[in-house]
Amino acid sequence: MKTMGFVFLLLAFFAIGVVQGQLRVGFYSNTCPDAESIVSSVVRNAAQSISNIPPVLLRLHFHDCFVEGCDGSILIENGPKAERHAFGHQGVGGFEVIEQAKAQLEATCPGVVSCADIVALAARDAIALANGPSYEVPTGRRDGRVSDVSLAANMPDVSDSIQQLKAKFLQKGLSEKDLVLLSAAHTIGTTACFFMTKRLYKFSPAGGSDPAINPDFLPQLQSICPQNGDVNVRLPMDRGSERTFDKQILDNIRNGFAVLESDARLYDDETTRMVVDSYFGILTPIFGPSFESDFVDSIVKMGQIGVKTGSKGEIRRVCTAFN
């Protein structure tokens, strides 16, 4: 009996350890009850003066999670070797919004809320501001202690083949369905002509454009991004719906109106094509699937990639520097 009692206590101890080591909704309900409302307020205020804040914060969350896990490593600014300076992170922003939220949280609950959690919460709030789905964010992440530009060398790229995209997502524990849904985050925001040059003018060794582009759409893209033109000019990633979080981008992909090459490639593969088409069936409005619900599942799943919890990592005092 003594042995059984000891085994029970041992199992109970490990069970507690597992629970404490996981993310959970309401992690700060006792230690910093206003944490989520503070982040939401900062994001709302930022959006009033910077119209593109929703896609910027959503992209920041994705880029943070794909390197070293969702641990705020992209926020560190410790010189040219810092992760945030990686080629794959070009154009990523929103750092000042995260820092503002952190400053307010430190004034209210010093040393409690991680920068990694702020990034995840800010992305959730950004999606809501773009009329996207509201959802609960499991929290309890701790901040990483590593920031190295070389670690971001394998980010998904707009010129990746569908096989490369699937492999990169699989490495992070994400499925083909997650690839489609997280790519659909391009429903809000813009991209630069810099990322369009190959697709419009140098798609094959002989030159020319991507044949997947709808012939009616190609002249529009080329007028915005002319050959040898200003590569910094920006254009919406979701034709006709760049400010609203919806499934329009998937319909655009189906009809040859994808802007980014990587989005168009989702229709090259049978598995990802079936996922895209599943949101447009005759009975989909009645029986599903629901794009909004599935997107929430995928972004919550992404938000748990490689998280540091328990005694791992730290809670930074400022998001741009290690303690």
Side-chain angles (χ1 to χ4, degrees):
M1 289 296 292
K2 288 182 179 180
T3 301
M4 289 181 65
F6 174 77
V7 171
F8 175 81
L9 287 172
L10 194 62
L11 290 172
F13 171 81
F14 280 114
I16 292 171
V18 169
V19 171
Q20 289 178 337
Q22 293 175 338
L23 306 183
R24 68 174 187 271
V25 172
F27 183 85
Y28 299 110
S29 58
N30 294 323
T31 54
C32 191
D34 294 329
E36 296 196 22
S37 61
I38 288 172
V39 175
S40 295
S41 176
V42 170
V43 172
R44 280 196 307 272
N45 290 338
Q48 289 175 2
S49 57
I50 309 172
S51 62
N52 71 331
I53 274 298
V56 167
L57 292 175
L58 180 51
R59 188 180 182 210
L60 178 63
H61 183 34
F62 176 86
H63 280 252
D64 181 38
C65 290
F66 258 72
V67 182
E68 287 294 290
C70 310
D71 68 349
S73 57
I74 195 172
L75 305 173
I76 293 294
E77 178 54 286
N78 60 352
K81 294 295 182 67
E83 178 199 318
R84 70 157 71 182
H85 299 300
F87 181 83
H89 290 331
Q90 286 183 99
V92 174
F95 302 108
E96 70 288 347
V97 178
I98 304 303
E99 206 60 65
Q100 289 168 18
K102 179 61 171 175
Q104 290 193 27
L105 287 165
E106 284 299 299
T108 306
C109 318
V112 174
V113 182
S114 70
C115 300
D117 274 343
I118 296 171
V119 171
L121 292 167
R124 183 268 308 273
D125 298 331
I127 291 168
L129 287 175
N131 297 315
S134 298
Y135 60 96
E136 299 277 17
V137 175
T139 45
R141 299 167 188 78
R142 289 171 66 84
D143 298 320
R145 295 192 176 104
V146 175
S147 175
D148 187 332
V149 68
S150 67
L151 297 174
N154 200 36
M155 284 292 299
D157 187 82
V158 293
S159 62
D160 281 346
S161 68
I162 187 61
Q163 290 78 18
Q164 289 173 312
L165 291 168
K166 288 166 65 173
K168 288 179 179 181
F169 273 66
L170 183 61
Q171 287 172 0
K172 303 299 179 183
L174 299 172
S175 67
E176 288 99 335
K177 184 175 182 179
D178 296 321
L179 167 59
V180 171
L181 290 158
L182 293 171
S183 296
H186 295 150
T187 180
I188 53 175
T190 61
T191 189
C193 288
F194 174 83
F195 296 106
M196 300 298 296
T197 301
K198 173 179 174 287
R199 188 171 193 225
L200 295 179
Y201 303 106
K202 302 176 182 177
F203 188 72
S204 68
S209 59
D210 182 352
I213 302 174
N214 188 299
D216 294 333
F217 191 37
L218 180 59
Q220 297 177 38
L221 292 175
Q222 291 178 327
S223 68
I224 298 170
C225 301
Q227 193 165 18
N228 302 318
D230 184 355
V231 296
N232 295 310
V233 170
R234 302 195 70 82
L235 67 161
M237 292 184 288
D238 188 8
R239 175 179 178 269
S241 182
E242 70 270 19
R243 293 188 181 277
T244 302
F245 194 99
D246 56 23
K247 65 179 181 180
Q248 176 64 40
I249 191 164
L250 297 181
D251 202 29
N252 283 338
I253 289 170
R254 298 170 79 218
N255 293 295
F257 294 110
V259 173
L260 292 178
E261 182 181 339
S262 56
D263 289 347
R265 298 289 75 83
L266 298 175
Y267 221 59
D268 290 350
D269 176 81
E270 182 179 1
T271 303
T272 51
R273 183 169 60 249
M274 287 176 63
V275 176
V276 172
D277 287 341
S278 71
Y279 298 105
F280 299 95
I282 296 174
L283 299 177
T284 296
I286 302 171
F287 298 108
S290 162
F291 165 70
E292 290 79 7
S293 177
D294 285 353
F295 175 81
V296 167
D297 289 343
S298 288
I299 196 166
V300 168
K301 182 179 177 182
M302 183 195 79
Q304 300 187 51
I305 295 173
V307 295
K308 282 78 175 172
T309 58
S311 61
K312 296 179 181 178
E314 63 185 17
I315 305 296
R316 293 184 207 141
R317 290 184 288 272
V318 295
C319 292
T320 54
F322 302 123
N323 291 343

